[in-house]
Amino acid sequence: MKHIIAVLLENEPGALSRVVGLFSARGYNIESLTVAPTEDPSLSRMTIQTAGSEDVIEQITKHLNRLIEVVKVVDLTEGAYTERELMMVKVRAVGKEREEMKRMADIFRGRIIDVTDKSYTIELTGDQAKNDAFLHAVERGAIMETVRTGASGIGRGERVLRV
Amino acid sequence: MEISKAEISSAAAASAASTPSSPQPDSASIELMGSEVLMKALQAEGVEFVWGYPGGAVLYIYDALYKQDAIQHVLVRHEQAAVHAADGYARATGNVGVALVTSGPGLTNAVTGIATAYMDSIPMVIVSGQVPTAAIGQDAFQECDTVGITRPIVKHNFLVKDPRDIAMTMKKAFHIARTGRPGPVVVDIPKDVSFRKTPYAGYPQTVEMRSYNPVKRGHGGQIRKALQLLLNAKRPYIYTGGGVLLGNASDELRTLVDLLGYPVTNTLMGLGAYPASDPKFLGMLGMHGTWEANNAMQHCDVLLAVGARFDDRVIGNVKHFAQNERKIIHIDIDPSSISKRVKVDVPIVGDVKDVLTELITMIKESSAQPDGGALKAWWDTIGEWRSRKSMAYSLGAGDVIKPQYVVETLWNMTKDADTYITSDVGQHQMWAAQYYRFDKPRRWINSGGLGTMGVGIPYAMGVKMAKPESEVFCITGEGSVQMCIQELSTCLQYDTPIKICALNNRYLGMVRQWQEIEYSSRYSHSYMDALPNFVKLAEAYGHVGLLIEHPRDVEPALREARRLKDRTVFMDFRTDPTENVFPMVQAGKGITEMLLGSEDL
């Protein structure tokens, strides 16, 4: 089952590689990982999307907690949460395709952020399923390039992750 | 170690530029070189010994060592041995062991030692030199990514980029190494950081890390639940590991077992946590454990696991282990060790000593008593298992030395003395664990987790330096001993008289045993030809060598070795090359699917 794990850790060189090393050394899977400093520049926040049985997820959170630089770990999927991913897609847009692509971007609430006479670059945010749906909806041959950030997650309501 | 002229001249220029400092008391105004701050840190942490090897990147640190008397540096012959010796010292004393190595090859040589300590949760601080900060990442001479290389085998590691950070980093390193689940911490110090001057306002008294707060006290409610389970048990069993020793909780374990009257076992790492000569002790369990210890593990209804982690060498095939349902209580300081391999019913995360103390208090206050009738029946069953005498071995025709006999003889001769036994890894290690009856904690020093050949002599060195009044025996094999045999030289230089008992069967015995049992006796490369004459080799290093070829000479040789109190003695026991370690659980089998002797093959 899919899990989204949020980690607060000291914003120190090497901290990211410790987390990644932990996953590779113990044979856990990372589907996506996003990381950036928080409002407190001494802290980074990481969102790790992974999949595994309950036992595996329990071990992952325990091992993350063992890392000296890790301050807090929360499995967001244990409660209500929101996730977003930024995706940018460069698509071919020539002739009547241009109108079609514009319409498609509108339907998915995407924005065209770069234009040439042969292409559009469309920015989309949403959960990964929505971004996947866009890629399926667009004719495969029209997609020139795709880049995705992976999920960032945050708890719903009053639920916060902070020191 | 090469030192370029440019380096020397730049150092001299920098030295001339800074004001010469005369000895001053600690105050906010003084300036020290990074290496001098490092010495202050080691002294403040109460470090007695540093095992190490100099090289270009650590020369300022060696210079600072030269100018002080509080810490003794021990020059080993290989960095691997420096780390093992510091590790042996830590295992015997409970203090943090310290090793010092240079950058690049110095550090890579130390890696095996660091991994060994990591696997057995030994508190250590390893200081490594690094190329100057400006050269980091340039593929400089003797450069390697120390933090990267050691990351998976340390509890934590640091690269110190500014001399101002040395004091606090060392404080953190020692704090991390010795608290929570202990482990090795590497502090990598670039050459310029050890040289540059920094204001020094004294060694920090306290350390606070928002991201590191190891638990100490176990959850009271969970301990109460555990008590209930324990008192209602019909077939209780107490399974204890190295965590009891690391947590200095042997006395508490003894009190608990006395109060309850339950059977108890130790893992290989836990030997000595409970006195082996006590009738409630069922012997070691696991791959080469006793029939009764393994059967009790399989058939108990309530298992109290204390500072042990259900390693595959202990419970064998997990599926087989899970066939018999039993309630499991697991006390461990590391939450990630709980429910890692087997499902646990009552997890208690906390310091073993604290949790056991609380459990004992609750038992004393409780009106409930263990079920005497059920317990008697359980002990009767255990008695039947015991009657199979799974540790019995044959002396044969009495014309060839049985390895078990050597260990047993050593035990009989030294049981009243305060003796430390180190071992290497292999058949001899198992015989030492099986036939030397450890009655006290921290007397059995061996590499359980990583299974590192070559640890025996360096361990013995580290222990002997820590405990100069005690006898230290290293039980080893002709294979293992050759992996760090150069340390015989260190033993001479530092007058460290250890007694080496090599059970020499001319084979990599454990490999040969597995090849015999699992590979149809295809002894692929397990026969060691062209062995050195160990007696002459010992003599070449300035020690005493003894060759023992007949059983009747075993006892006199050991007596002679003990008589030569101030000498290192290498005993080359020529043992039966066909002898195997029994009982044995084959890889992948359940813990009660045991081979009790060669007749079971």
Side-chain angles (χ1 to χ4, degrees), chain A residues 10-14 17-18 21 25-26 40 42-43 58-59 62-63 65-71 163, chain B residues 118 147 151-152 154-158 161 172 176 181 209-212 334-340:
Chain A
E10 300 286 351
N11 185 9
E12 282 171 6
S17 60
R18 272 184 227 283
R26 296 191 181 264
D40 172 354
S42 71
L43 277 178
E58 187 184 331
Q59 280 299 312
K62 281 176 171 177
H63 277 109
N65 270 311
R66 251 178 90 174
L67 295 177
I68 304 293
E69 282 138 339
V70 166
V71 184
V163 180
Chain B
Y118 179 66
V147 167
R151 189 181 299 122
V154 292
K155 185 169 174 189
H156 196 58
N157 56 17
F158 296 94
K161 286 189 173 157
K172 283 182 182 172
I176 292 169
R181 177 177 180 172
M209 299 172 72
R210 64 177 166 186
S211 56
Y212 178 69
D334 179 5
S336 70
S337 280
I338 296 178
S339 290
K340 184 169 66 180

Side-chain angles (χ1 to χ4, degrees), chain B residues 358-418:
Chain B
E358 204 166 334
L359 190 58
I360 288 164
T361 311
M362 283 186 196
I363 293 173
K364 285 183 176 163
E365 285 169 356
S366 167
S367 51
Q369 291 293 319
D371 181 340
L375 193 57
K376 164 132 196 347
W378 178 227
W379 272 114
D380 287 346
T381 309
I382 290 169
E384 280 167 38
W385 289 327
R386 261 186 175 157
S387 66
R388 290 192 66 163
K389 299 204 179 302
S390 60
M391 285 295 159
Y393 65 93
S394 159
L395 283 170
D399 52 355
V400 57
I401 300 173
K402 293 289 180 175
Q404 301 95 323
Y405 172 72
V406 178
V407 178
E408 236 176 9
T409 307
L410 179 62
W411 154 247
N412 281 321
M413 290 174 75
T414 58
K415 60 183 162 190
D416 297 324
D418 190 25

